[in-house]
Amino acid sequence: MAVSAIIPAAGSGRRMGGGTAKQFLPLRGEPVLVRTVRLFSECPLVDEIVVVAGDVESTAELIGHFPKVAYVIQGGKERQDSVWAGLQKVHSRPRIICVHDAVRPLLTMEMLEGVLHAAAEHQAQVLAVPVKDTIKMAKPDGIVTQTPDRSTVFAVQTPQVFWVEPMAQAFRQAIADGVVGTDCASLLERMGVPVHIYPGSNENIKLTTPEDFLVAEAILERRERG
Ligand code: C5P
């Protein structure tokens, strides 16, 4: 089945500090977004890429030359709005949608191809890793309410891969219900669609704070040394 990748890149990156959104910052000399888009462009299983941007013009300048980039479009207020905007651009014939954060440039081809192959079987899949820390749930006053069994808790990453119909239906319903999910999969979960976990990697980090860039540079340096 045809695969469309949606890459949300419309965040302002407030947690990073500074004026430039993190997807445009250099990582070992190359903007984060370029690294992310290149991986998808080079993946033989991906047919087209929709990049959702805050500033369409400068984003198109940066990554518009990659052959599989079909659209660079304007994002929305929340990440969910940006992904929904991307989904509007995807052709309506049966296909698989692969959503991947622009700010996770350390995804490997092996993982991307693996999760896309697995999508032949499952309607909804997310990359995830077991959490290393014990997780506590707490009230706004800081009092702990619960400690979930660690073996049942995962840190979720992207890609998140869906069949187009259940995904579009879940997004339409979330919009109708005024629900904003922190990831795409949660919208399908509330519709009762089984979401499968595909093994992610501790290296597939989301660049959020300046420390994440230090870690990412170190990982890339090691990879480049082979
Ligand atoms: O803010 P967060 O780190 O969760 O963002 C994850 C990804 O979603 C980033 O690549 C960011 O650019 C994108 N995003 C977006 N539209 C928004 C907010 C975030 O495309 N309104």
Side-chain angles (χ1 to χ4, degrees), residues 8-11 15 22-23 52 76-79 82 101-103 206 208:
R15 280 168 292 183
K22 54 201 174 173
Q23 57 274 26
V52 191
K77 183 166 171 278
E78 306 288 342
R79 180 182 180 280
S82 297
D101 289 333
V103 290
K206 183 165 82 167
T208 306

